[in-house]
Amino acid sequence: MEDRKLTVRAVERALDILMCFTQNSELGLTEIAGMIGLHKSTVHRLMTTLEEKAFVVRDAATEKYRLGIKVWELSTHLSQSDDPAVLLLPAMERLRDRLGETVSLYLRDGKDRLRIQAVQSNQAIRRVAQVGARLPLTVGASSKVLVAFAAPADQEELLNDPDWAELVKGGSYVRQLQDIRERGYATSIEEREPGAAAVAVPIVNRNGRVAAALSVSGPVSRLSSETLNEFAPVLIEAAREMGLMIP
């Protein structure tokens, strides 16, 4: 029984290591050890195994690690029949062409949001959205949409989380969520990233559940508050059509 516990713990630690690469593309041994709270010698043993199995690659010059080819091989076998990132890509491209700005698709993952798809603007000055980026759920237009339209039990759990105490204190954030539900969209100007603005809407699937958040973002020099509000009806209609594609 003890051996089994040790084996399971080793698997958990190896998965924790791989999850570190959702935040950075290259990491050193010390960085990984600090991120998951393990001794460097323990991390080194796990990294050696992951490297042997091609889940990570070590750069001999920098002594940093990056994800290996096995991760890519696994990703190519993901089911695409009901994957929003695949199903909605053509519609996202049409929306990008219509509005001229970067279009992103987000899912909620615990207290974070995960960008699962993005179509970059073709303009010279643009906001580049990295697919796979994990961002806090406490700030930004897409975050507010995912919280505002979350199931009541999920929303209550988030708002009662100790990490959210300062955000919720005073009631202005909760009132903002109510306004977003009434309007059907959220906007943000330089909330998370200086010089960037965004508008986001929920995508509701055929079962009436919020499946994702759809956003359009770009530089504040082009996306004023007025422009964001003008974009909102276009996004709402696009999200309605996208929702019909998702089971």
Side-chain angles (χ1 to χ4, degrees):
M1 188 68 172
E2 185 64 27
D3 289 344
R4 183 180 177 185
K5 287 181 179 179
L6 289 172
T7 302
V8 172
R9 190 177 301 120
V11 173
E12 290 176 343
R13 288 172 171 175
L15 292 173
D16 287 341
I17 287 173
L18 292 176
M19 289 302 295
C20 289
F21 291 92
T22 62
Q23 303 176 41
N24 298 279
S25 59
E26 290 190 336
L27 291 167
L29 199 63
T30 302
E31 293 172 290
I32 296 170
M35 291 172 75
I36 63 177
L38 290 177
H39 195 277
K40 281 178 62 176
S41 61
T42 302
V43 174
H44 183 265
R45 289 196 299 270
L46 291 166
M47 295 302 290
T48 299
T49 301
L50 289 171
E51 187 176 8
E52 289 175 353
K53 297 293 184 180
F55 281 92
V56 298
V57 176
R58 179 177 172 272
D59 188 315
T62 64
E63 296 190 348
K64 292 199 174 214
Y65 294 88
R66 63 180 185 274
L67 292 177
I69 193 170
K70 284 297 180 184
V71 176
W72 178 82
E73 286 184 23
L74 287 174
S75 70
T76 63
H77 293 286
L78 284 170
S79 172
Q80 298 184 357
S81 61
D82 57 356
D83 183 356
V86 176
L87 289 173
L88 304 183
L89 181 57
M92 293 174 66
E93 290 174 339
R94 290 194 295 271
L95 184 61
R96 183 273 315 275
D97 293 342
R98 180 174 180 181
L99 298 179
E101 302 294 348
T102 296
V103 179
S104 298
L105 190 67
Y106 294 93
L107 296 182
R108 179 193 161 206
D109 183 17
K111 293 189 287 185
D112 298 324
R113 58 179 159 115
L114 184 66
R115 186 184 293 121
I116 64 168
Q117 187 59 278
V119 180
Q120 312 298 340
S121 168
N122 291 324
Q123 302 205 49
I125 299 176
R126 60 186 177 182
R127 182 172 180 273
V128 176
Q130 181 183 358
V131 175
R134 182 175 293 271
L135 304 167
L137 202 58
T138 51
V139 64
S142 295
S143 291
K144 289 184 286 189
V145 159
L146 290 170
V147 177
F149 292 95
D154 292 338
Q155 186 182 101
E156 184 177 359
E157 181 179 357
L158 286 170
L159 297 181
N160 289 329
D161 190 288
D163 293 339
W164 289 52
E166 285 299 314
L167 182 65
V168 175
K169 186 171 64 176
S172 61
Y173 179 73
V174 175
R175 288 192 295 272
Q176 190 176 16
L177 295 180
Q178 293 171 345
D179 291 341
I180 291 168
R181 285 195 297 272
E182 292 173 3
R183 291 185 308 181
Y185 68 94
T187 62
S188 64
I189 297 179
E190 297 188 303
E191 285 188 10
R192 188 187 64 82
E193 183 180 338
V199 55
V201 299
I203 296 178
V204 180
N205 65 14
R206 296 199 296 263
N207 294 321
R209 181 179 62 84
V210 173
L214 175 70
S215 82
V216 169
S217 60
V220 292
S221 58
R222 289 197 302 266
L223 296 186
S224 64
S225 178
E226 293 77 10
T227 302
L228 294 175
N229 289 322
E230 289 172 2
F231 279 5
V234 179
L235 260 72
I236 291 172
E237 178 58 25
R240 186 191 66 79
E241 295 176 358
M242 291 180 187
L244 298 176
M245 306 177 195
I246 305 176

